Amino acid sequence: MQLFEKLGLGPVIRNLVTPTKEIQVFRFGHLFESKESAEFGFSYGPLVNGLREALAPQVPLMVGKVAEVSTGPNWQRLVLTNGTVIAARLLLVATGYSEAVRRAIGVERVEQSKAHSLAIGFDLAVPPQQFGPRSLTFYPGHRIPFMAVFRIGNRMRANMFVYRTVADPWTQAFRASPQRMLLQLMPEIAAHCGDFAVNSPVELRQVSLTTTSGHRRNGVVFIGDAFSTTCPAQGDGIHRALTDVDRLCSAYIPLWLATPGMGSEKVSAFYDDPIKTAADETAMRSSLYAKAIATETGLAWRIRRLRNNTARQLMIIGRRIHSVAWWRTTASISEAT
């Protein structure tokens, strides 16, 4: 949200998202902590369409399919399937995981972790009024880094991330009977979510971690998932994309356009930007570590899991003891009074 504000898009974005003020975190089937934190729920489609509708009148928007791409040190040229030709000094590729335009330009994806994780999304049949300004985050284990339940407008959304594939029998069973499997995974906290009754199709998206090779070339820049992909469970996707946009808008494109040409030496400055590279590297490192700590079977990883789980269990026990002591103290004061 800070990056949206910096880019001047704050007023537009605020009308497209649903704010959350409190996050309740559940571990081992119990409330682990409640924390105040500003988060914002949204759907990608309405968000993108809302941003497009907010484009200034002088900004041309053309919808079409690219048939040909040619790039060079001075001008870039697109030919659409309807015959329209577009020429510009700089081409920004923000096509997400789609490969058509990337292949036409001649760059390749480099897989860092194939079928790394699976994103699962669905709506819950529970009134948003029951939640108020809060969201829930569950850590159930079972190769599931977490599940978040949050409000988007007048509906409750659940996003769950798992370290499995679409073809995994577990995935097929979940798609066939999501409520039954959710109740098996998280029976103690089902009461918070209307017994996990699902009232929408279960959406699946397989995620692979990738980077790009051959991207340092004349006249074209790849941003967001078109450049590299990371696991959405870490919540870095929009941050990475907006970091790319911010660095281009604030540091590079104005300088590039102020002088002739658009050679690869200009473009390379963006790819070497320390703020951009830090965002990309942090997201990739977090993605790889999160899966390893959940799934690796080596002794070192098992010790790390045991250490983390033990520390969290002790925190829960400590809070219970504190709560009981507080209740007893309060009762004693009441009796003395």
Side-chain angles (χ1 to χ4, degrees):
M1 288 301 291
Q2 291 173 346
L3 284 169
F4 275 125
E5 295 282 358
K6 182 180 179 182
L7 292 166
L9 296 171
V12 176
I13 290 296
R14 284 195 293 273
N15 290 325
L16 301 171
V17 301
T18 303
T20 295
K21 297 180 180 178
E22 179 187 0
I23 303 174
Q24 292 185 340
V25 179
F26 291 82
R27 293 183 184 273
F28 310 110
H30 302 282
L31 178 63
F32 182 74
E33 64 177 327
S34 293
K35 54 185 179 180
E36 293 185 3
S37 179
E39 292 193 348
F40 305 87
F42 63 90
S43 293
Y44 280 101
L47 184 79
V48 172
N49 290 334
L51 287 169
R52 285 177 176 163
E53 291 172 1
L55 286 171
Q58 66 269 27
V59 178
L61 174 64
M62 185 176 297
V63 179
K65 185 175 181 180
V66 175
E68 299 177 22
V69 183
S70 58
T71 62
N74 295 299
W75 287 92
Q76 325 316 317
R77 183 174 179 269
L78 299 180
V79 180
L80 305 186
T81 52
N82 65 3
T84 301
V85 177
I86 303 172
R89 290 188 60 191
L90 179 66
L91 170 63
L92 299 183
V93 179
T95 52
Y97 202 74
S98 176
E99 287 295 287
V101 172
R102 289 164 46 85
R103 290 198 187 101
I105 295 172
V107 302
E108 296 181 358
R109 284 202 184 272
V110 179
E111 286 192 334
Q112 303 294 326
S113 179
K114 187 175 181 179
H116 179 85
S117 61
L118 184 68
I120 304 176
F122 47 90
D123 292 347
L124 290 175
V126 56
Q129 295 77 14
Q130 179 178 325
F131 278 75
R134 67 185 177 122
S135 65
L136 308 180
T137 302
F138 304 131
Y139 294 89
H142 307 285
R143 301 178 69 90
I144 302 173
F146 74 92
M147 184 178 82
V149 178
F150 54 97
R151 183 173 179 172
I152 302 178
N154 61 356
R155 63 190 175 99
M156 296 305 301
R157 184 68 172 176
N159 283 350
M160 184 167 69
F161 305 94
V162 301
Y163 295 125
R164 298 181 183 274
T165 65
V166 174
D168 191 311
W170 184 97
T171 305
Q172 299 306 313
F174 184 90
R175 177 178 251 176
S177 185
Q179 182 180 12
R180 177 180 60 81
M181 293 191 66
L182 285 169
L183 288 172
Q184 291 175 355
L185 288 166
M186 297 172 271
E188 302 92 343
I189 47 185
H192 296 274
C193 301
D195 289 333
F196 293 116
V198 176
N199 67 343
S200 76
V202 175
E203 299 175 283
L204 304 176
R205 181 193 170 202
Q206 192 76 66
V207 178
S208 294
L209 308 189
T210 67
T211 54
T212 297
S213 66
H215 52 280
R216 296 176 183 265
R217 55 181 60 227
N218 298 326
V220 59
V221 171
F222 298 85
I223 66 173
D225 282 357
F227 177 67
S228 66
T229 62
T230 49
C231 180
Q234 276 56 64
D236 294 311
I238 286 186
H239 177 259
R240 287 190 302 107
L242 287 183
T243 298
D244 286 349
V245 172
D246 177 47
R247 298 309 295 156
L248 285 168
C249 290
S250 63
Y252 294 104
I253 290 180
L255 290 176
W256 292 349
L257 296 179
T259 57
M262 198 60 67
S264 59
E265 72 284 351
K266 285 185 175 181
V267 170
S268 291
F270 164 70
Y271 292 123
D272 294 331
D273 180 88
I275 297 176
K276 173 201 167 36
T277 56
D280 290 341
E281 290 170 1
T282 298
M284 183 64 73
R285 186 168 55 250
S286 298
S287 297
L288 293 170
Y289 178 85
K291 183 172 184 177
I293 195 66
T295 63
E296 289 291 340
T297 58
L299 179 60
W301 290 106
R302 283 186 288 165
I303 292 174
R304 289 183 187 182
R305 278 196 293 275
L306 178 62
R307 176 199 63 193
N308 293 348
N309 290 336
T310 300
R312 290 164 182 153
Q313 291 276 19
L314 290 174
M315 289 177 66
I316 292 174
I317 294 171
R319 285 171 182 163
R320 287 178 179 172
I321 294 173
H322 176 78
S323 178
V324 170
W326 178 88
W327 181 84
R328 287 178 175 174
T329 301
T330 303
S332 298
I333 293 173
S334 298
E335 289 173 3
T337 302

